[in-house]
Amino acid sequence: MKNAIVIGAGIVGLSTAWHLQERGFEVTVLDREGVAAGSSWGNAGWLAPAKTIPLSDPSLWRYGPKAIFDPDAALSMPVRIDPKLWMFLARFMLQATERSWDNTMANLTPIDMAALAAFEEFELGGVDAMIRKGPYVIGFEKEEQSKGFLREIAGAVRHGQEAEMTRLDNPQELAPMLSDEVQVAYRLEGQRFIEPGPYVQALAKSVEERGGIIRSGVEVTHVAKGSRPAVILADASREEADEVVIATGAWLPRLAREYGVRTLVQAGRGYSFTVETDKPAEHPLYLPHHRMACTPYQGRFRIAGTMEFRRPDEPLYPRRIEAIVNQASRLMRGINFEERQDEWVGSRPVTPDGIPLIGQTKAEHIYVAGGHGMWGVVLGPATGKYLAQLIDTGETHPVIKPFDPLR
């Protein structure tokens, strides 16, 4: 029986491990911290293919320069000399055109359309975790703010997705925590959501129940190529396998760059916290103008936001939490924002072209899976499925063909 080592116990790494098991592999998953310790834990948990779209779009040319000087803006970056960051931003902004948006959307659409079915496959395979249906509530303070979001949805539909939307007569009908500042709202159908931390823990449990080994507190410092590649650990020990998968999120370049994966991967850090609401939150809420994504979470309401371009290991900056609170406290009611819990920052792996990195490196038997940006949760199971097929058969499924990590 062949065996594989997967580096990274987030949803992408664990999905790959699960699907390798489906194909008869013995699997070991290594993570320096633990299951869902990175960006898989505190995100909004959205399974929303209709919103799984390119991050870089023409509106950035208007929004970006203003955001740099607005401490409460959703986009944030340090003012310091950082050549890698500025190189990434330059390439990211070059993608902010209609043509580039359409090209990237065309590449993302096939995996978007496979995303929900991949979650259903986990459910049928015994992953014991709840997947909840929408609708999503999309809110705006005024009509003018809705134009950009409606244009994005129209773009997703133009590329073949379904995204049924209807106008709500009363924004508070499905989202009672909205204040009167929110005058315009839509309901978006056909999407799903999960509680991401518990879901990934359930996926890890399934991997273990099927004979997989998950080891936490293990830092991989190097991946050595060969007919049987090996991972080198921080204690200088060496472990071989038939196949190695690098699924380390925003840290992916540290292990993969040596093997031809030269696309920049920048940590686009997101923040979140949970609060109580006077009336129970039942549906996801999105406030596009403020880039704020909210989800029911274990009886509370998770509020997530911010795209902060910093190094992945930097600490949580309380000022970014304050920026979300400053906006949310004006747009929501019936919430005591002083009683926040679960404050979190996670480093999402963003590529300049908005396209993931999935496939074989220059070294035989060494693969990568990452670079999903904000969409790692929704695209993780489908990524694992098609990467496992490539590892097992040598055939690249058309869904992941545009995501060549050597591009």
Side-chain angles (χ1 to χ4, degrees):
M1 179 181 290
K2 286 189 174 182
N3 70 319
I5 293 175
V6 178
I7 309 167
I11 193 167
V12 174
L14 289 169
S15 296
T16 305
W18 195 94
H19 278 287
L20 284 170
Q21 289 177 313
E22 286 285 279
R23 292 177 172 273
F25 282 74
E26 291 183 346
V27 177
T28 299
V29 181
L30 308 177
D31 196 281
R32 65 173 183 168
E33 295 186 37
V35 173
S39 57
S40 287
W41 187 83
N43 62 81
W46 284 16
L47 311 184
K51 273 299 296 166
T52 304
I53 61 176
L55 294 178
S56 185
D57 68 70
S59 70
L60 277 177
W61 292 105
R62 298 187 304 274
Y63 176 75
K66 295 178 182 177
I68 293 175
F69 301 103
D70 181 356
D72 287 341
L75 179 63
S76 174
M77 65 194 75
V79 180
R80 65 186 179 201
I81 298 174
D82 188 336
K84 287 185 178 179
L85 173 59
W86 291 107
M87 183 181 296
F88 167 83
L89 290 173
R91 295 181 182 179
F92 187 71
M93 291 303 296
L94 284 175
Q95 298 294 315
T97 67
E98 293 285 357
R99 182 177 180 180
S100 293
W101 192 97
D102 271 314
N103 287 340
T104 301
M105 192 70 234
N107 288 326
L108 287 174
T109 294
I111 197 168
D112 287 355
M113 296 177 72
L116 296 183
F119 277 89
E120 292 170 0
E121 191 168 348
F122 278 164
E123 186 175 12
L124 293 172
V127 176
D128 186 15
M130 182 181 293
I131 300 173
R132 298 172 62 182
K133 295 183 178 181
Y136 283 39
V137 179
I138 318 297
F140 308 91
E141 294 157 84
K142 51 188 177 181
E143 197 77 48
E144 179 69 22
Q145 292 178 354
S146 69
K147 291 182 179 179
F149 176 82
L150 295 176
R151 184 176 63 251
E152 290 172 352
I153 292 294
V157 171
R158 187 173 68 250
H159 283 274
Q161 295 203 48
E162 295 183 4
E164 180 186 344
M165 285 186 53
T166 54
R167 181 78 172 255
L168 288 172
D169 293 331
N170 176 10
Q172 288 80 31
E173 176 185 347
L174 298 178
M177 75 291 298
L178 285 175
S179 75
D180 292 337
E181 293 288 321
V182 179
Q183 297 288 316
V184 178
Y186 293 83
R187 60 181 289 163
L188 173 62
E189 307 287 357
Q191 317 303 302
R192 308 285 188 270
F193 66 99
I194 58 173
E195 295 181 349
Y199 188 93
V200 178
Q201 291 285 352
L203 178 56
K205 182 180 178 182
S206 179
V207 169
E208 290 181 315
E209 288 174 345
R210 290 146 53 101
I213 297 170
I214 299 176
R215 291 163 52 195
S216 301
V218 179
E219 183 168 3
V220 176
T221 59
H222 181 65
V223 177
K225 65 181 179 179
S227 58
R228 277 178 57 82
V231 297
I232 313 301
L233 307 184
D235 62 3
S237 63
R238 175 188 178 96
E239 298 184 14
E240 291 187 353
D242 293 303
E243 316 288 348
V244 172
V245 178
I246 303 169
T248 51
W251 295 267
L252 186 143
R254 295 181 184 177
L255 298 176
R257 186 171 178 80
E258 176 182 352
Y259 299 118
V261 182
R262 299 304 175 95
T263 298
L264 293 173
V265 177
Q266 170 64 42
R269 299 174 0 134
Y271 285 72
S272 71
F273 53 86
T274 66
V275 292
E276 288 188 353
T277 56
D278 280 356
K279 296 182 180 180
E282 297 182 2
H283 306 289
L285 168 66
Y286 185 37
L287 301 169
H289 188 70
H290 303 283
R291 275 71 169 178
M292 203 177 300
C294 313
T295 318
Y297 180 80
Q298 298 190 337
R300 294 171 66 83
F301 196 49
R302 172 170 280 170
I303 301 177
T306 297
M307 176 60 77
E308 180 190 52
F309 290 130
R310 285 185 180 270
R311 299 184 185 107
D313 289 312
E314 292 191 45
L316 180 149
Y317 285 85
R319 182 64 187 85
R320 300 312 308 153
I321 296 286
E322 292 173 16
I324 298 172
V325 170
N326 288 344
Q327 299 290 356
S329 58
R330 184 173 59 83
L331 302 171
M332 300 181 194
R333 62 186 179 186
I335 296 173
N336 183 351
F337 284 98
E338 297 303 314
E339 296 183 0
R340 302 187 298 275
Q341 296 180 16
D342 308 310
E343 290 189 351
W344 169 89
V345 61
S347 294
R348 300 165 298 197
V350 182
T351 60
D353 59 8
I355 297 175
L357 304 165
I358 305 170
Q360 185 175 301
T361 68
K362 282 186 176 179
E364 286 189 279
H365 310 295
I366 299 175
Y367 300 82
V368 297
H372 295 82
M374 295 171 62
W375 319 126
V377 166
V378 62
L379 300 183
T383 293
K385 176 177 181 175
Y386 296 119
L387 180 58
Q389 175 184 329
L390 170 60
I391 293 169
D392 184 35
T393 68
E395 298 175 1
T396 301
H397 194 281
V399 164
I400 62 168
K401 193 158 188 169
F403 309 147
D404 182 357
L406 302 180
R407 64 180 182 271

